[in-house]
Amino acid sequence: MTSTDHIDWHRLHRITPVLNAWKVAAGLFAVFVWQSADQLGELDLAVTTLLLIIAGVVVLGALLGLGFSALAWSRTKYGITEDSILLHSGVLFRQQRHVRLDRLQTVDVTQPLLARFTGFAALKIESAGGAGSNLTLAYLREDEAQRLRNELLARAAGVRMETDEAGVQHAPAAPEMHLYTLSPGRLVGSLALSGGIVTMLVAAVGLVVIAVVTENLSSVFAMGAPLIGAAAYFWSRFAGEFSFRVATSPDGIRIRQGLLESKARTVPPGRVQAVRLAQPPLWRFKGWWRITVNIAGYGAEETTGTVLFPVATEAEAAHLLSLVHPDLGDDRPLEVLRAGLTGDGDQEGFQHTPARAWWLDPLTWRRTGVRMTGTAVLLRTGRWWRSLVLVPHERIQSLGVTQGPWERKLDLMTFSIHSTPGPVTPMVHHQDAEATSLLLAEMTRRARNARRSAGPERWMTPAEEGSAALHEGGGFGGVLPSRVVSSAGVLPASPRAMTDDPGRMAP
Amino acid sequence: MATMSSGSAFEVDGAQWQSVSPKLVPVRQIGVAIGLGIPLVASVVVAIFTTPAVWAAPAVFGILLVWLLWLVPRQVRAIRYAELEDELLIRKGVLFRSMVVVPYGRMQYVDVDAGPIARSMGIAQVQLHTASAQSDASIPGLPEAEAARLRDQLSARGEARLAGL
């Protein structure tokens, strides 16, 4: 049903212009204050007159915003077909955006503060078209947004709709299993132990000391702006990652977060392109890891959307990793993972920077390394700022090697995996040249096989005939498909599933 | 292992490497000459009308120009590409070498570009785009017929081996 004749068009909720108008008003107010604060100060007016002028500007701005938003609202409509979601919008420049549901990457239900109080929500559908390729439905009633989310995910997954007596189609609700909640204490602790806060406090104390000693406040004013910027950053981290919760459902991983603005994000299976577990130096005493992911369509500018879990212990991190990549493709997944997280040298089959290059990386040469498993590549870097990157074979976009003059002298190479834009850049420096060319050839082969046997984009439809057979013949026979598809949907993987699986063979 | 010759690290079994057109050398040299010639002339003019110390600027531009004119032919000779069954390989660089392996199935689209100088020489650049911004899979300096053949070939192979994201 791709023709637009039979589409049931819907409007956004009538409250939309009101919720949008205050933004216009706030924007106008800010611009007004910014532009004319000086002139107003010089006019030498009474305080009441000044307040009246400002109030007038705000009311005018709100009315203008309301008018424009109402016009925009009246020209906006959306509809859902069997395989796409459509949004027609725009007053002067009309836009018709059609997003194919099999290309859907994530679905977010976001609630800015005002919408949260009034029970409304925005629905954001991310497709893989790069930054700015999302489709946003703002605003809908909260329950309507959730119903729509379920329907979109069910349609994207290829689940059949249930039709009730009245002939209305319903998406079966996806059962959800709650996994982890980030406690406020751990969030505050993690921020306090991140290098930034320490630097900021030292800088602030230093400034006060300088100001007291020199009896001059100019240094405080000079450094004030960067400090406020840093404080704003930490506030946004705190508010954005407050009450971070992760759950699993057949629709994928569901992430909820936010102190003021709440966000509920659903990442369907197979949408994560690369995972990174990172640990700043002070976090190692607590054994905490920050897990970020690359998801096509988000791009590098999105900061909160790419976090899978802000602060996880090693066991939680292993479990969360098993959700996005259920099968590590090795007999000893936990040992391999631990060697990648905290180990060094060649334990558990990691290949690292050869000893002859110790003077290029005096601290990190034993740590900088690669390990290929049956289903993914692990890249280990950093001695103080530890980091482990995982890229599933079927998500490799392309591979690259580079060699500078020093590397050529020492017979080394820098190896990188090209992933979609995001916070994770899989790359290791100074690997042995011959080992790297072998790695490159083998990884190319495994990526080729993994692509052929990759699960369907519509994750609930059965895999195509023959793909399993191809997988068997792919050189790592016996390894389970990376997604366990059953009639009940994707089975939530547990840490047990990572360890107790006798059916695997070493690659 | 450490005594292995460094050139062979960029060799791949079964790859038949192809060079790009030597016409890319003048195209790039003209580009370099324009890019550095303008500041060179401008700084000479400034130096004539001001103090002799300013002659340092045209000297730097001149040295850079000569060095780049010497470097360009070697860089062009170092560009190689090979079409494998499932992947495209591209090798570049003299001092800083690189190789990229791009599976056809990962291709999102192909671009064929030619600037005014390249067009007058009858060469074009073919660029393969994947969903990653990092895959720099461009082959400059292909004769127009070869560029068209490669474009069609890549499109056909990409379609046949198309994979999801």
Side-chain angles (χ1 to χ4, degrees), chain A residues 370-424:
Chain A
V370 198
R371 166 78 150 83
M372 199 161 40
T373 73
T375 60
V377 192
L378 295 167
L379 297 101
R380 179 181 77 178
T381 51
R383 192 183 176 103
W384 302 108
W385 275 266
R386 284 171 175 165
S387 160
L388 179 71
V389 170
L390 178 143
V391 187
H393 286 321
E394 69 266 30
R395 301 281 166 249
I396 295 173
Q397 292 294 330
S398 59
L399 295 165
V401 287
T402 56
Q403 190 178 51
W406 285 111
E407 286 179 312
R408 183 146 75 250
K409 274 227 157 55
L410 288 162
D411 208 23
L412 304 171
M413 271 180 170
T414 292
F415 171 74
S416 47
I417 298 175
H418 305 142
S419 179
T420 57
V424 187

Side-chain angles (χ1 to χ4, degrees), chain B residues 118-140:
Chain B
R119 216 166 40 234
S120 70
M121 295 277 191
I123 59 170
Q125 164 172 297
V126 172
Q127 185 162 11
L128 203 70
H129 293 267
T130 71
S132 169
Q134 294 153 285
S135 359
D136 172 29
S138 62
I139 313 173

Side-chain angles (χ1 to χ4, degrees), chain A residues 337-375:
Chain A
L337 193 62
R338 189 160 301 131
L341 289 173
T342 56
D344 64 2
D346 49 12
Q347 44 180 281
E348 296 298 338
F350 268 89
Q351 162 199 327
H352 63 91
T353 303
R356 62 177 183 275
W358 70 269
W359 54 276
L360 280 177
D361 298 307
L363 293 174
T364 56
W365 67 271
R366 284 179 58 82
R367 176 110 178 112
T368 311
V370 198
R371 166 78 150 83
M372 199 161 40
T373 73
T375 60

Side-chain angles (χ1 to χ4, degrees), chain A residues 38 59 79 85 119 128 196 236 260 267 296 307 361 450 466 474:
Chain A
D38 291 346
V59 168
I85 174 159
S236 74
L260 303 176
V267 185
V307 179
D361 298 307

Side-chain angles (χ1 to χ4, degrees), chain A residues 326-346:
Chain A
D327 177 16
L328 199 60
D330 198 272
D331 301 347
R332 298 154 55 79
L334 290 178
E335 286 83 354
V336 170
L337 193 62
R338 189 160 301 131
L341 289 173
T342 56
D344 64 2
D346 49 12

Side-chain angles (χ1 to χ4, degrees), chain A residues 70-187:
Chain A
L71 194 59
W73 172 81
S74 71
R75 308 294 301 271
T76 305
K77 56 179 182 174
Y78 70 91
I80 300 173
T81 70
E82 203 64 33
D83 47 26
S84 319
I85 174 159
L86 328 167
L87 177 71
H88 291 193
S89 63
V91 177
L92 274 181
F93 297 90
R94 299 281 295 161
Q95 187 185 43
Q96 305 192 350
R97 184 164 273 187
H98 293 202
V99 172
R100 286 182 57 86
L101 289 178
D102 55 356
R103 288 289 175 183
L104 168 148
Q105 298 295 315
T106 58
V107 183
D108 298 357
V109 177
T110 55
Q111 290 186 288
L113 197 56
L114 199 58
R116 199 172 172 181
F117 284 139
T118 45
F120 293 94
L123 195 72
K124 198 169 132 196
I125 296 113
E126 195 73 56
S127 62
S133 68
N134 58 56
L135 185 152
T136 307
L137 302 179
Y139 290 89
L140 304 164
R141 295 187 89 81
E142 197 179 340
D143 51 350
E144 170 71 7
Q146 272 164 14
R147 192 197 62 74
L148 204 57
R149 183 213 23 221
N150 293 342
E151 186 184 338
L152 285 174
L153 284 166
R155 282 184 192 267
V159 174
R160 291 193 182 280
M161 298 286 123
E162 293 167 359
T163 312
D164 65 10
E165 305 86 56
V168 181
Q169 289 191 325
H170 286 288
E176 212 174 293
M177 196 175 81
H178 177 76
L179 289 180
Y180 299 115
T181 305
L182 178 64
S183 71
R186 198 197 279 181
L187 177 60

